[in-house]
């Protein structure tokens, strides 16, 4: 039983009986508890003067809870009413009340909303409820809240299943059934999650384990829902196994026929290889890394054949959708751009329009984040040709290039949202699942920047559903980060947000996307702390990756090294023009204000002004440092001071 004031400072609740009185009133949830009932509930053998003791404890609690209440003014929180007392704080200021209300709201909410509510509710759980109290009223309430927490864990798993994120539900459910083996719904959800994650054998093993446990320990059979699930799985498993073996045979036969029919020296083999690499890149971390390694080899071999059209098709045929404007391998990206430019220069007018557009789109996508490149021009030209040709796949690739070049200034979230909307429409109309997913991710990012989280949630859910249907496991990396960002942007407790960021970072660490991963978690935590005016931290060993120059002045200020911070601020470069442009300028602005550097303040204000209506950094779909308008207000106030 603990309490804090409005700014988070712990309140001294005096001794154990004071805490017991307060706890008993919390359990009553605003209802009056008569003094006689308090005495009976808190003293096994009440002595003379116990009623007076209760009044003394209440008076002390009132002084602790409302220290600034004027004398003789009635209490607002711990009130006297009729024959007893009641606790009347706002409902959301008592975590046990807020927990119950949030879990109840999640039960009738849409899956994506329910998941967010349950993540927040479970994040408030700090340990056994009413620890230290063993009276009957405390045991009853502790049991009720424990059951509610177990229900919330299962509701959360069910929401993940409805969102097509079965694999994410498995670890928590596994731990849940280990700690609570008599909960049949937990076993059912675990088996279902395993089955939908493609682990049919493990799912059936879980159901057998549940059956054996219930039979041996309790002498009962599984309930009807468990029995029905097992019957459904057994009926389907034979069909699934037959389809899987058939697909394997078909692949082997087709590959053997291709080897026999297509000469080793044929350019068709290179084109087919690029198609295979394109499919491999979207299968997960291992596939993405393997495809990246082999892509440059295919380009080198194509150039050696001295066939400009073929070379263009090999370079431009790798149209894997890209969402993050920082390359995983900048050196390789530069090599690919150079190869595409060579193909455009040597082919001349004989190059087909479609191949020319693919090469231009490749230049636009691969030169992302590179200032001074001809990426913007290449993107516009690729889009123009694609629209003339009426080729939906080519148009989607070109639009990806346009998206990657729409970071030339702050405040372009609405423009990127329009690109995402067209990608969704083209992808859905023509069966281009990868580009339909990309469009939803682009719109998810843009919705975050515009603080339209209802729209962002809808696009995140749509991306997850499509990813589940089309086996695109890397999509969940971006939607997981978005949901952590959403917690930050909607005011969840810092501990809850930081935990969500760390969970998202753990998923990203195995995704094979170093251009996204490196330095992102430290940046997200720094942005959260700066926005909420929490201590920044002075851990100089933190690998802040490419974002170090913008973090360093603030870290040095936190360490009390103002002179070094001023030097670091003067050396801070202009942020790269990408999804984190606004966030990095906001960090620079905060350091400039603290150090009184008016030159940097004016530069920051000029750069940020076009994004005054956006959340800084939220356009990344990953993190935020709060409303840009908030930082502009601070800059204006600082610039007005002499």
């Amino acid at each position: 039983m603990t309490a804090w004031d409005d700014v988070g400072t712990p309140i001294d609740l005096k001794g154990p009986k004071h805490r017991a009185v307060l706890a008993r009133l919390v359990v009553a949830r605003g209802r009056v508890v008569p003094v006689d009932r308090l005495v009976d509930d808190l003293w096994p053998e009440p002595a003379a003067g116990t009623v007076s003791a209760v009044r003394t404890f209440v008076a002390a609690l009132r002084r602790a809870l409302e220290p600034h209440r004027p004398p003789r003014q009635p209490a607002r929180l711990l009130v006297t009413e009729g024959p007893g007392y009641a606790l009347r704080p706002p409902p959301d200021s008592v975590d046990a009340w807020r927990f119950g209300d949030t879990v109840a709201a999640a039960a009738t909410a849409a899956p994506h909303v329910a998941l967010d509510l349950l993540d927040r509710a479970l994040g408030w759980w700090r340990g056994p409820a009413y620890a230290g109290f063993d009276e009957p009223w405390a045991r009853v309430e502790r049991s009720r809240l424990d059951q509610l927490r177990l229900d919330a864990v299962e509701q959360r798993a069910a929401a993940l299943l409805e969102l097509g994120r079965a694999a994410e539900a498995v670890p928590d459910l596994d731990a849940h059934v280990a700690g609570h083996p008599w909960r049949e719904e937990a076993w059912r959800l675990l088996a279902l999650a395993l089955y939908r994650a493609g682990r049919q054998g493990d799912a059936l093993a879980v159901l057998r384990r549940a059956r054996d446990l219930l039979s041996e320990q309790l002498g009962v059979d599984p309930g009807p829902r468990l029995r029905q699930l097992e019957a459904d799985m057994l009926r389907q498993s034979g069909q699934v196994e037959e389809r899987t073996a058939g697909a394997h045979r078909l692949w082997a036969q087709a590959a053997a026929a291709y080897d026999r029919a297509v000469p080793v020296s044929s350019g068709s083999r290179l084109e087919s290889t690029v198609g295979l690499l394109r499919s491999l890149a979207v299968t997960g971390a291992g596939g993405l890394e393997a495809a990246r390694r082999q892509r440059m080899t295919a380009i080198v071999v194509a150039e050696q054949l001295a066939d400009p059209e073929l070379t263009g098709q090999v370079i431009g045929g790798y149209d894997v959708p890209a969402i993050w404007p920082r390359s995983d391998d900048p050196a390789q990206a530069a090599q690919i751009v150079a190869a595409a430019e060579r193909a455009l220069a040597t082919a001349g007018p004989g190059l087909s329009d479609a191949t020319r557009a693919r090469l231009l789109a490749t230049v636009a996508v691969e030169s992302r984040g590179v200032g001074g490149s001809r990426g913007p021009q290449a993107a516009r030209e690729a889009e123009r040709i694609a629209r003339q040709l009426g080729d939906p796949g080519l148009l989607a690739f070109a639009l990806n290039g346009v998206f990657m070049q729409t970071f030339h200034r702050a405040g372009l979230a609405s423009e990127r949202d329009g690109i995402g909307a067209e990608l969704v429409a083209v992808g859905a109309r023509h069966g281009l699942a990868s580009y339909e997913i990309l469009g939803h991710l682009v719109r998810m990012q843009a919705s975050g920047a515009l603080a339209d989280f209802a729209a962002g949630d809808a696009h995140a859910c749509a991306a997850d559903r499509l990813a589940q249907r089309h086996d695109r496991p890397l999509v969940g990396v971006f939607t997981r980060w978005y949901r952590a960002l959403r917690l930050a942007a909607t005011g969840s407790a810092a501990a809850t947000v930081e935990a969500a960021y760390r969970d998202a970072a753990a998923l990203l660490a195995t995704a094979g996307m170093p251009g996204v991963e490196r330095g992102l978690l430290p940046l997200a935590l720094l942005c959260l702390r700066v926005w909420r005016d929490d201590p920044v931290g002075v851990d100089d060993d933190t690998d802040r990756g490419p974002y170090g120059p913008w973090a360093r002045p603030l870290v040095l200020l936190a360490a009390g090294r103002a002179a070094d911070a001023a030097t670091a601020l003067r050396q801070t470069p202009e942020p790269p023009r990408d999804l984190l442009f606004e966030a990095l300028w906001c960090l620079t602005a905060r350091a400039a204000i603290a150090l009184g550097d008016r030159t940097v303040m004016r530069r920051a204000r000029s750069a940020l002004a076009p994004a005054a209506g956006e959340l800084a950094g939220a356009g990344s779909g990953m993190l935020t440092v709060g409303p840009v308008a908030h930082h502009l207000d601070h800059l204006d106030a600082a610039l007005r001071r002499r």
Side-chain angles (χ1 to χ4, degrees), residues 265-302:
S265 59
S266 170
S268 298
R269 280 188 176 254
L270 269 180
E271 291 183 67
S272 299
T273 298
V274 172
L276 184 61
L277 294 179
R278 183 175 60 233
S279 298
L280 183 63
V282 297
T283 60
L288 178 61
E289 291 167 335
R292 197 160 52 230
R293 287 194 304 269
Q294 298 299 324
R295 184 185 181 191
M296 198 63 215
T297 303
I299 292 173
V300 170
V301 172

Side-chain angles (χ1 to χ4, degrees), residues 55-108:
R55 295 190 175 120
T56 300
F57 294 142
V58 167
L61 285 169
R62 283 173 170 163
R63 287 192 296 272
L65 295 174
E66 297 183 72
H68 305 300
R69 180 169 57 90
R72 290 183 296 280
Q73 180 175 318
R76 293 181 302 107
L77 293 178
L78 206 171
V79 302
T80 300
E81 192 170 298
Y85 302 103
L87 191 68
R88 299 279 170 77
D92 64 350
S93 67
V94 179
D95 58 2
W97 301 358
R98 188 171 67 232
F99 179 78
D101 292 345
T102 304
V103 173
T108 57

